[in-house]
Amino acid sequence: QVQLVESGGGLVQTGESLRLSCAASGRTFSSYSMGWFRQAPGKEREFVAGISWSDGSTYYADSLKGRFTISRDNAKNTVYLQMNSLKPEDSAVYYCAADSRPYPVEYNYWGQGTQVTVSS
């Protein structure tokens, strides 16, 4: 089992940056691939970014490449999502997820989410 707790959400203005954190507890963090997802009101949850446990490779939703960066610190059991040049359409609840597979399509463990609101 892995427990995930997100933090760092809040209210920002268009063009500003925000860094989300997800702290993991439980089994060995370094053995889990991590992902970020988001869900806006009335919309389906969508993939944002992922980072593999096996080689540290990262992958992103095409629409977010260049603005968002995922990273991990295995010593701190934490994964981060750096979000730059934020837009109102980035407003959503952001979820952290974990899975033991190296390149998961689906994730087994989820956090409770953190709200990000970008004002225009």
Side-chain angles (χ1 to χ4, degrees):
Q1 285 281 348
V2 177
Q3 293 79 43
L4 304 172
V5 179
E6 302 95 335
S7 62
L11 174 64
V12 296
Q13 295 187 342
T14 298
E16 294 185 338
S17 298
L18 206 58
R19 189 178 78 158
L20 305 182
S21 300
C22 173
S25 61
R27 289 188 171 182
T28 307
F29 175 74
S30 60
S31 298
Y32 284 85
S33 295
M34 304 298 296
W36 285 98
F37 292 75
R38 67 184 184 184
Q39 187 168 21
K43 295 186 177 181
E44 293 187 354
R45 186 166 58 191
E46 64 174 346
F47 171 78
V48 173
I51 184 166
S52 173
W53 68 260
S54 65
D55 58 4
S57 58
T58 58
Y59 36 101
Y60 299 89
D62 288 342
S63 62
L64 300 176
K65 286 180 181 177
R67 290 197 301 123
F68 288 18
T69 303
I70 188 172
S71 61
R72 66 190 298 161
D73 185 338
N74 289 339
K76 295 183 178 180
N77 284 9
T78 301
V79 63
Y80 304 97
L81 183 68
Q82 178 68 42
M83 305 184 294
N84 298 328
S85 302
L86 283 163
K87 307 174 182 180
E89 51 264 43
D90 293 319
S91 298
V93 177
Y94 283 71
Y95 297 92
C96 173
D99 195 89
S100 60
R101 291 165 288 189
Y103 307 104
V105 176
E106 296 181 348
Y107 289 74
N108 277 327
Y109 304 101
W110 293 84
Q112 294 300 306
T114 185
Q115 177 71 49
V116 172
T117 303
V118 184
S119 64
S120 57

